[in-house]
Amino acid sequence: MDALHNGKTWLIALLVITGLLVPIFVEDTYLRHLFIIAFVYGMVAASWDLTLGYAGIFNFAHIAFFGVGIYATGLTAKVLGVDPWMAMLIGGLAASAAAAIVALPIVRLKGVYVILVTFAFSQLVLQVVISQSSITGGTQGLVRVPTIWLPGYNFLRDYKLGYYYVAFGLLVATTVCLRCLVRSDFGLSIKALRDSEDYGVSRGIPIARQRLKALVASAFFTGMAGGFYVLYLRVASPEIFDFSTASLVLSMVLVGGTSSIYGPVFAALVLTFMSEGLANIDNFAEGRFMIVAVTMVVVLLFFPKGLASMLPNGFGEKTPEILLHRKRRIAGSTDHAE
Amino acid sequence: MLETNDNQPLLEVRQVSRRFGALVAVDRVSFSIQKGEIFGIAGPNGSGKSTLFNIITGIPFPPSAGEVFLAGQPIHKLRPHQISRAGVLRTFQKDAEFATLSALENVYASAVYCGQMGSNEARVAAQQALDDVSLAAERRTKAASDLSVFERKQLMIASAIAARPKVLLLDEPAAGLTRPETSDLADLIYTVHGRGITIVLIEHVLPLLLKVSEHLMVLNHGAVIASGKPEEVVRNPVVVAAYLGKREAGL
Amino acid sequence: MSLSKLCTSLALAALVAATPANSQDKIAKIGVLAPLTGGSAADGNEMVNGAKLAVDEINAAGGVAGYQLEVVVGDTQNQSADAVTSAFERLAGDRDLNAMFTGYASGSNFEIEMIAEQDMPYLIAANSAQTRDIIAAHPDKFPTVWSLTPSYDAYNTAMVPVLQGLETSGKLKLTNRRAALISSDNPYSKSIMEGLKKSFEDAGWSVTSADLLPFGEINDWRTFLAKVRQDNPAVIINTDYQPGNAAKFLTQFLEQPTDSLVFIQYAPSVPEFLNLTGKQATGIVYNLLGGTLNTPKNPRAAEVMKKYNDNYGNEPGTYGALLYEEVMFYANALKKVGDPTKRLEISKVIGESHMQIASGMLSFDPNTHLAVQGDNAIPIQFFQIWDGKRVLFYPHEYAEGEFRMPPWMKQ
Amino acid sequence: MIMVDMLSAILVSGIVLGSGYALMASGLSLVWTTLGIFNFAHGVLMTLGAYVAWTISSGGGLGLGLAAGVAVTVAALIGAGILIERVVVRPFYDHRDILLITVMTTLAAMIFLQNGIQLIWGARLKQLAPIVPGTVQLWRTTISAQETLMIVLAPIVLAALWLFLSRSRIGRGIKAVGQNADAARLIGIDVSRLFIITFALSALLAGLTGVLLGSVRLLTPEFGSEPLVKALIIVIFGGLGSLGGTIAAAYLLGIIEATLTFFIGIYWTPSMIFLLLIVVLLFRPQGLLGKVVR
């Protein structure tokens, strides 16, 4: 155990150092850009895993939280002239506030009904963004958002070196925070509730409060990621709420492996680079997505626990469960008859 | 909490009912349990036994009407997790443990959240509780779903006593056990009782119920049809009719 | 694509390679940003086709300034900010790539800023309001970005005078001075609807409704049409520009037509619209700014459209022709400057050039970097559809036919 | 009179919408009740059906006879349904997170098919010729004949489906499997065969929906996305677990949508519907028509 654990610690240290060294060897701005985007999606996917994987909440509003972060940061930075760094934090807080609002109805709901409410909430957010076009720019989007700054440093003329390190720093911080959360007593309690709601409550775990906390925390990190996203790209536009964004990030969570945090981050890198690698092939726009789709299925076929199960000290939750309990678990057990 | 005087019942249930539409699953049931008692509840299938546990603990729903007091304090208005924290813990008839967590984590979580202990204290309490139910040390790091049926019963009881409850509601703990295991379970119940925990037991396996209960209550169609000393209750013609009638219908 | 085309291009390539060009093997890459997957893929494919058509033609003629051109495509997918930026960065990372072209790459045109920061020549052919909003404040900061689409102001102002002209000449009989407007919530349609509302009201008309629908697929126009039937306005205007929606609008209008002139923004110019609606569309009026000016007075348009049709077997919409012209326009500038890496110089030449293209006489306004609009520049064109054909009836100097009363109106 | 006109307009438009929704959701609901998964490729199966029909109908130029056309479409859809079950659903039956995993794998199937459709048929808009042309006057409201066909066909198809499920041996088997797969296996039902039949049937329903919608709407490779989302909402909202609930929810949602559209306009209708969904679930956490199981 200890040896394995040490091995893992070393591996993580090695990965962090590699991450820090990448820009020294990769001078190409395109590749640096891909890393930055993969880091952002890594944050979104890993924080989604907190609610989806650990807490077992079928939260389909995560991309809406990301969008809330994007617009909150973009608007405060551009319209109110708030310092962009501060605005990024506001993005995280705004996303958390949105999550708290969603939590009100869904802490009472079971299983798949959560999908419906969270999905409906996403659509409401999108509708608000589009309809308030005098503020948000509507379908046209919000352009010329000011970017982050440091005294004496120009982020726009350094071939994305600065953005790379900021994104990497945010990713490492997010991952560390999320790992700490899931290993804490709080993490234990949300996993407990995921495994068995009623039993969790019978052991004194306040279900509504823990779910609220999980949603708020998960949204905070994705909101921060959204904040960075808008400051980096300098535009906020409603396409981010598209079904395709949600399915991209969802694929990162599931291909990476739920309940692992590292898995989704890893998958974000793999999928981003793979998809972009295929984009280089001429006349292959459709084929690119077909190949990515096939890869997803193949990964899930051979690693149903996701890529995370290839990591050392894998997260080997045992599998064999029977068909019998399947639907009840999904729909949420409402059957307490004797 | 106020100090309890010795004559006050530890758990008192007054006129609780639970309806589902037109169906009355529990019909104005009242009883009270003294501290230190082992209180048995019997009744044919569908007589409302588990529903009674559900509405006492609020998991997953409170009573439609009626009141529940713990040491003189009303608890039926509390949230379910608060009822647990107040000291009324239950087990479930079906497997309900935290399947992906280890046995130790299962018990630890209960000590932290229900017992509201700090993590060091909770860790000690968890090991102690597992010792009490004599779950083998090497099994404690296994995921709960990897444990045997009996080990899961041990685990469920351990996770309850780690939280130092006042009352433990056991919902058909012998379901799915072999005869020798059932007798081990009886010993386990005595052990828990020996820790000063009041026990309410629903059981289908009548010999076990009769063996351990000091007081027996029988439900039929959601209502109490008899209550008293076990050996007297089982001779009550109403009870016999309820069970026999059931059996005949079943045949 | 087809084998024969492959053979021809291989043969051409061999021929070009064989000719002792002054500087053989020199390649100048050009980037095309286009949505190739997702809802706008039809437009995107057309953009790429248009650019490739121009490149093939230029290369077959021996290249330009000693360079063979090569198209590199960046898929902007659903036009989300990261997809557009990824596509841009991928193209921009190539040192041999020194110019970019698009119809539209994003809804906001935000990429203009990052492209200008790299001094990359960028020709764009849509969303001119967004382009103007970004550029007009500091035109000097965007020396490389030029829009083939003129300002959309004429969409707001040209309609009322044209209708009055038709009435005066007796070709159009309107029973009242009421107009009903509807739009979907996108900046293009919404601002046109608002502009039209104002210009109708300024001319003494009453606008009976000006409804806004959510942007996207709209299958049910009946609620709006029911209201219209009560008010019975002389003019009905739909500024939503999506051809699918427009086709449905028309079908549902014709279920119970009113005695009104029906105007649909942009959509009837897309080839599918005619395929979808067929004879039903007879009588519909639309106008177009910066679209193909296909009249005998501007033979360039017919020429480009024929080339496109010969190559790809279907008629191009706006973007096929415009991307072809963007590349041609760039090639002319490259020819003058001689070196594709002199990006700023090329852009300067582009900004100062003028040329007859498929949509009219192209030159740029130095203050907004938009194409100059006007009857002698890029004109606004009014069309009426008749028997599956588009009849240009305004401006008169280009007109190829007359306006006629639509079949559902009382003659 | 205006009142009557208004009511009939709302009713007709609501029933048209509801018929479409019921057709969209029935196949999805069938797979959900039987296998306990959501098939995200359901929408793209509608698209596939419509495109295949377009190709073999005169519009696509192939011009096969009607019978041959129907046969090809049916075969293509059954094939696609079985393929999806085999490749992206079957391998995960025993998985703990089967719902989540199959969300992903069926989503992957959707992406694959959608892009495949674009590759084969291109991205340009297409329209299926209506099966019945012209318009029909219904309670003083005019709608296209094709929509009338949908209004008539939807209940027939759904009734046939209900008869199949409750009367035929296979249908009863499917229902039994939906209630308890293990128990069904114990009494000798070939569960895996029924899963395949369920998928094939669901794909067929999707294809039929696609063909009917395809001549009312316009075809693009993304044609099925919006119906998929609507169907998902209806299946969940209807209260999980019964075809009847799904169908009732479909018509109810159609009428609500038509009413809202009439009174507050199309712009805010989607938002209002979503708000309504949230509010209803606050008071009925088990869905609109789901029963509280005690």
Side-chain angles (χ1 to χ4, degrees):
Chain A
M1 268 314 260
D2 263 2
L4 258 177
H5 197 266
N6 276 338
K8 196 169 140 195
T9 313
W10 278 110
L11 183 70
I12 290 166
L14 191 71
L15 285 173
V16 171
I17 292 167
T18 314
L20 287 171
L21 293 180
V22 160
I24 295 171
F25 299 105
V26 178
E27 292 179 347
D28 185 39
T29 50
Y30 168 54
L31 290 178
R32 285 179 181 174
H33 162 78
L34 290 188
F35 273 107
I36 295 168
I37 289 297
F39 291 163
V40 170
Y41 281 124
M43 286 181 252
V44 181
S47 57
W48 198 351
D49 193 18
L50 184 67
T51 37
L52 199 65
Y54 284 94
I57 303 170
F58 289 137
N59 160 28
F60 277 65
H62 200 69
I63 295 304
F65 300 151
F66 183 55
V68 168
I70 288 177
Y71 274 93
T73 302
L75 285 170
T76 48
K78 188 186 169 182
V79 180
L80 302 181
V82 171
D83 181 279
W85 293 103
M86 198 60 191
M88 206 192 303
L89 190 65
I90 292 174
L93 295 174
S96 285
I101 294 171
V102 181
L104 291 180
I106 73 172
V107 288
R108 286 189 62 212
L109 294 175
K110 303 217 173 203
V112 285
Y113 294 108
V114 173
I115 297 180
L116 198 59
V117 170
T118 49
F119 181 80
F121 177 80
S122 311
Q123 295 301 306
L124 285 176
V125 172
L126 172 62
Q127 187 78 18
V128 168
V129 165
I130 289 179
S131 64
Q132 301 306 307
S133 54
S134 54
I135 302 167
T136 61
T139 43
Q140 185 176 334
L142 188 72
V143 292
R144 285 182 294 163
V145 175
T147 195
I148 43 174
W149 63 282
L150 283 174
Y153 192 85
N154 188 343
F155 275 93
L156 298 175
R157 297 275 183 229
D158 67 347
Y159 303 98
K160 300 189 189 291
L161 186 74
Y163 286 122
Y164 178 93
Y165 281 115
V166 173
F168 185 68
L170 284 171
L171 176 70
V172 171
T174 300
T175 313
V176 168
C177 290
L178 287 170
R179 284 299 302 173
C180 287
L181 270 178
V182 301
R183 292 164 68 116
S184 68
D185 288 352
F186 165 74
L188 197 64
S189 72
I190 59 172
K191 281 186 275 183
L193 288 172
R194 170 197 64 192
D195 285 355
S196 180
E197 253 171 51
D198 289 341
Y199 187 61
V201 174
S202 78
R203 292 301 172 264
I205 304 176
I207 184 162
R209 197 182 313 154
Q210 299 309 86
R211 282 186 165 179
L212 174 80
K213 281 186 197 162
L215 280 162
V216 165
S218 153
F220 178 76
F221 295 111
T222 199
M224 284 281 281
F228 174 76
Y229 178 94
V230 67
L231 297 173
Y232 168 59
L233 296 170
R234 289 178 283 157
V235 59
S237 56
E239 291 90 12
I240 204 71
F241 295 100
D242 276 7
F243 192 57
S244 57
T245 317
S247 65
L248 173 73
V249 182
L250 186 63
S251 69
M252 289 167 179
V253 179
L254 295 178
V255 169
T258 51
S259 313
S260 67
I261 303 294
Y262 297 121
V265 174
F266 187 35
L269 279 161
V270 171
L271 285 174
T272 306
F273 276 89
M274 181 179 154
S275 157
E276 280 296 315
L278 293 168
N280 277 304
I281 307 173
D282 209 14
N283 269 332
F284 200 58
E286 297 95 355
R288 167 187 179 190
F289 289 97
M290 292 169 83
I291 288 185
V292 172
V294 170
T295 312
M296 281 184 216
V297 174
V298 169
V299 168
L300 291 172
L301 272 177
F302 293 102
F303 305 98
K305 293 262 108 203
L307 295 175
S309 52
M310 301 197 305
L311 296 171
N313 196 10
F315 297 79
E317 290 181 80
K318 342 104 289 48
T319 319
E321 276 277 347
I322 13 60
L323 223 49
L324 181 70
H325 297 305
R326 189 182 70 230
K327 244 184 351 205
R328 186 171 324 115
R329 189 180 319 109
I330 293 162
S333 163
T334 42
D335 133 71
H336 291 279
E338 34 178 84
Chain B
M1 288 235 165
L2 294 168
E3 272 306 302
T4 58
N5 67 49
D6 281 351
N7 295 329
Q8 184 182 44
L10 179 63
L11 184 72
E12 187 180 5
V13 173
R14 283 188 206 153
Q15 297 284 315
V16 295
S17 298
R18 176 72 208 189
R19 297 163 191 285
F20 300 98
L23 181 88
V24 184
V26 173
D27 189 9
R28 286 164 293 166
V29 169
S30 300
F31 61 94
S32 57
I33 298 170
Q34 296 302 321
K35 189 171 190 310
E37 212 173 353
I38 299 183
F39 188 96
I41 300 176
N45 269 334
S47 58
K49 302 185 301 281
S50 283
T51 308
L52 184 62
F53 271 16
N54 289 347
I55 60 184
I56 291 172
T57 56
I59 301 168
F61 36 67
S64 324
E67 298 166 311
V68 183
F69 296 88
L70 180 70
Q73 302 292 313
I75 58 168
H76 51 273
K77 292 246 168 72
L78 296 179
R79 310 259 210 105
H81 74 269
Q82 291 169 329
I83 296 176
S84 309
R85 286 178 180 182
V88 181
L89 262 75
R90 67 174 295 187
T91 65
F92 291 85
Q93 183 180 342
K94 291 185 190 117
D95 283 347
E97 69 290 324
F98 308 134
T100 63
L101 305 188
S102 72
L104 188 58
E105 283 172 324
N106 264 272
V107 184
Y108 172 83
S110 172
V112 167
Y113 280 93
C114 199
Q116 300 195 271
M117 302 171 196
S119 51
N120 287 330
E121 194 191 345
R123 208 160 286 131
V124 175
Q127 292 289 7
Q128 180 62 47
L130 287 166
D131 289 344
D132 286 350
V133 301
S134 12
L135 183 74
E138 71 274 12
R139 304 292 286 165
R140 295 181 187 179
T141 51
K142 292 268 180 273
S145 57
D146 285 349
L147 300 180
S148 71
V149 176
F150 188 72
E151 283 171 330
R152 288 205 290 263
K153 305 278 182 198
Q154 290 174 304
L155 177 60
M156 205 141 64
I157 291 171
S159 88
I161 60 178
R164 313 217 168 107
K166 296 193 174 69
V167 186
L168 176 60
L169 313 182
L170 293 170
D171 191 350
E172 302 218 7
L177 293 187
T178 61
R179 194 163 299 198
E181 283 172 342
T182 308
S183 123
D184 290 346
L185 181 74
D187 294 341
L188 192 52
I189 292 171
Y190 285 131
T191 313
V192 173
H193 187 236
R195 294 281 179 281
I197 297 168
T198 307
I199 289 176
V200 186
L201 174 68
I202 294 178
E203 193 44 80
H204 220 69
V205 182
L206 277 179
L208 174 70
L209 195 60
L210 295 175
K211 182 178 167 195
V212 300
S213 303
E214 295 160 0
H215 187 104
L216 184 64
M217 180 171 88
V218 183
L219 294 179
N220 195 21
H221 299 304
V224 179
I225 54 169
S227 184
K229 292 216 170 302
E231 54 276 18
E232 290 164 14
V233 168
V234 287
R235 270 183 245 118
N236 185 327
V238 185
V239 173
V240 175
Y243 268 85
L244 280 181
K246 196 80 189 170
R247 198 168 297 160
E248 272 164 8
L251 289 168
Chain C
M1 290 273 284
S2 71
L3 196 62
S4 63
K5 220 192 101 199
L6 189 70
C7 290
T8 337
S9 49
L10 280 177
L12 271 175
L15 206 72
V16 169
T19 33
N22 29 3
S23 47
Q24 62 187 41
D25 291 331
K26 280 209 293 186
I27 296 278
K29 292 186 186 167
I30 60 169
V32 174
L33 295 177
L36 296 177
T37 44
S40 306
D43 282 348
N45 285 322
E46 205 178 288
M47 294 176 200
V48 174
N49 285 346
K52 285 193 169 156
L53 182 66
V55 164
D56 289 346
E57 191 180 321
I58 290 165
N59 288 346
V64 53
Y67 288 88
Q68 289 283 302
L69 297 184
E70 185 185 317
V71 172
V72 188
V73 182
D75 180 7
T76 62
Q77 301 174 35
N78 66 345
Q79 303 166 58
S80 71
D82 57 304
V84 175
T85 308
S86 298
F88 164 73
E89 291 291 350
R90 186 164 69 79
L91 302 190
D94 189 336
R95 283 174 202 284
D96 294 332
L97 192 148
N98 290 292
M100 290 193 194
F101 304 90
T102 190
Y104 53 88
S106 65
S108 58
N109 288 6
F110 78 99
E111 75 281 0
I112 286 178
E113 270 196 284
M114 93 195 153
I115 293 178
E117 273 157 19
Q118 301 216 0
D119 293 338
M120 180 77 76
Y122 186 48
L123 293 177
I124 184 167
N127 302 339
S128 67
Q130 286 91 314
T131 312
R132 180 169 59 187
D133 285 351
I134 295 174
I135 293 181
H138 311 277
D140 48 314
K141 276 173 73 180
F142 302 92
T144 60
V145 181
W146 302 97
S147 163
L148 269 71
T149 319
S151 150
Y152 289 144
D153 291 346
Y155 278 138
N156 307 338
T157 54
M159 174 100 67
V160 176
V162 168
L163 291 184
Q164 276 163 355
L166 290 176
E167 271 194 299
T168 329
S169 62
K171 287 175 196 134
L172 172 66
K173 288 180 212 69
L174 297 175
T175 49
N176 57 49
R177 280 282 174 277
R178 288 197 295 273
L181 308 177
I182 191 156
S183 166
S184 69
D185 193 357
N186 69 84
Y188 170 85
S189 304
K190 197 172 146 189
S191 66
I192 292 173
M193 179 175 80
E194 282 160 2
L196 283 173
K197 181 169 186 277
K198 186 170 180 301
S199 77
F200 271 107
E201 282 169 350
D202 288 351
W205 286 56
S206 64
V207 173
T208 57
S209 55
D211 287 358
L212 201 58
L213 301 181
F215 181 66
E217 191 182 344
I218 300 163
N219 291 301
D220 191 1
W221 296 91
R222 293 199 177 91
T223 329
F224 170 73
L225 290 169
K227 223 183 291 175
V228 163
R229 283 176 196 123
Q230 285 177 4
D231 299 334
N232 207 19
V235 177
I236 301 172
I237 295 173
N238 181 354
T239 63
D240 177 58
Y241 64 86
Q242 296 160 100
N245 290 349
K248 296 230 57 169
F249 175 78
L250 178 61
T251 314
Q252 293 176 5
F253 169 76
L254 289 176
E255 284 166 5
Q256 257 178 299
T258 52
D259 189 14
S260 326
L261 182 74
V262 176
F263 177 95
I264 298 176
Q265 186 70 36
Y266 177 78
S269 75
V270 180
E272 282 99 322
F273 181 83
L274 289 185
N275 299 339
L276 293 173
T277 52
K279 272 197 147 355
Q280 279 194 323
T282 293
I284 289 289
V285 176
Y286 73 97
N287 62 11
L288 204 53
L289 262 171
T292 321
L293 181 61
N294 187 16
T295 98
K297 307 264 171 55
N298 182 28
R300 172 82 178 184
E303 188 192 319
V304 174
M305 287 172 78
K306 183 176 183 313
K307 277 182 203 159
Y308 189 100
N309 209 342
D310 290 350
N311 253 276
Y312 303 108
N314 62 300
E315 184 197 341
T318 310
Y319 295 109
L322 281 179
L323 266 283
Y324 173 89
E325 294 292 21
E326 283 183 1
V327 175
M328 285 299 181
F329 209 84
Y330 169 79
N332 275 348
L334 175 57
K335 198 168 167 186
K336 280 189 198 143
V337 175
D339 181 356
T341 59
K342 293 181 175 164
R343 297 174 177 182
L344 283 170
E345 245 175 274
I346 290 179
S347 305
K348 191 158 181 287
V349 173
I350 291 175
E352 288 162 356
S353 308
H354 54 91
M355 184 174 121
Q356 190 73 29
I357 64 166
S359 50
M361 174 56 78
L362 177 64
S363 60
F364 297 102
D365 176 351
N367 295 319
T368 59
H369 290 203
L370 303 183
V372 175
Q373 198 265 320
D375 286 355
N376 299 317
I378 306 287
I380 185 164
Q381 314 168 53
F382 279 77
F383 296 86
Q384 187 177 35
I385 291 174
W386 211 270
D387 289 335
K389 292 210 164 45
R390 306 182 176 93
V391 181
L392 178 64
F393 67 87
Y394 181 92
H396 304 293
E397 50 268 53
Y398 297 112
E400 48 183 3
E402 294 287 341
F403 174 87
R404 284 185 271 176
M405 283 294 273
W408 64 82
M409 285 179 81
K410 298 195 186 81
Q411 301 298 314
Chain D
M1 266 311 137
I2 288 171
M3 188 70 191
V4 177
D5 277 356
M6 184 187 84
L7 278 178
S8 89
I10 291 174
L11 201 63
V12 168
S13 155
I15 291 175
V16 169
L17 285 170
S19 311
Y21 293 164
L23 285 169
M24 289 171 202
S26 58
L28 195 71
S29 168
L30 187 65
V31 167
W32 165 258
T33 46
T34 314
L35 286 93
I37 63 164
F38 282 121
N39 176 17
F40 275 74
H42 194 73
V44 81
L45 289 172
M46 295 182 203
T47 318
L48 186 67
Y51 271 94
V52 172
W54 181 84
T55 307
I56 51 192
S57 73
S58 52
L62 245 155
L64 298 171
L66 182 68
V70 171
V72 173
T73 313
V74 166
L77 282 160
I78 289 181
I82 291 176
L83 213 61
I84 287 175
E85 197 271 349
R86 283 265 144 171
V87 178
V88 305
V89 179
R90 173 155 305 232
F92 305 103
Y93 279 147
D94 291 336
H95 198 275
R96 255 190 91 237
D97 293 326
I98 181 172
L99 178 65
L100 267 184
I101 292 262
T102 51
V103 163
M104 201 63 250
T105 53
T106 54
L107 210 54
M110 175 191 111
I111 295 170
F112 185 87
L113 286 174
Q114 190 170 304
N115 282 283
I117 286 171
Q118 186 176 325
L119 203 62
I120 296 171
W121 281 284
R124 285 180 169 266
L125 288 173
K126 295 186 170 35
Q127 184 164 35
L128 267 172
I131 300 171
V132 279
T135 59
V136 169
Q137 190 86 18
L138 197 65
W139 298 312
R140 307 157 61 95
T141 303
T142 312
I143 55 170
S144 69
Q146 182 71 20
E147 284 165 323
T148 321
L149 179 70
M150 235 161 71
I151 294 182
V152 176
L153 221 51
I156 295 176
V157 170
L158 297 173
L161 182 64
W162 180 80
L163 274 179
F164 171 77
L165 287 179
S166 54
R167 295 294 152 84
S168 78
R169 233 168 59 85
I170 294 177
R172 282 202 302 259
I174 289 176
K175 279 185 97 170
V177 171
Q179 276 152 17
N180 190 332
D182 279 357
R185 195 171 279 125
L186 282 178
I187 58 168
I189 294 177
D190 184 349
V191 172
S192 96
R193 193 175 69 108
L194 288 181
F195 280 174
I196 290 184
I197 293 175
T198 307
F199 250 91
L201 193 60
S202 160
L204 206 57
L205 284 166
L208 175 72
T209 315
V211 174
L212 286 172
L213 281 182
S215 49
V216 181
R217 300 182 179 185
L218 299 158
L219 293 185
T220 68
E222 296 195 324
F223 166 75
S225 318
E226 190 257 359
L228 170 74
V229 169
K230 278 272 160 58
L232 268 176
I233 290 174
I234 289 162
V235 171
I236 302 179
F237 194 51
L240 297 174
S242 79
L243 191 61
T246 305
I247 292 166
Y251 282 99
L252 191 66
L253 209 68
I255 304 256
I256 291 174
E257 190 173 331
T259 314
L260 284 173
T261 307
F262 193 89
F263 289 107
I264 62 170
I266 283 188
Y267 194 82
W268 287 106
T269 297
S271 315
M272 283 300 129
I273 287 178
F274 286 126
L275 263 182
L276 198 72
L277 285 181
I278 295 179
V279 171
V280 168
L281 283 179
L282 273 178
F283 292 101
R284 288 191 64 85
Q286 69 281 14
L288 188 63
L289 300 152
K291 287 189 207 88
V292 195
V293 187
R294 68 174 189 111

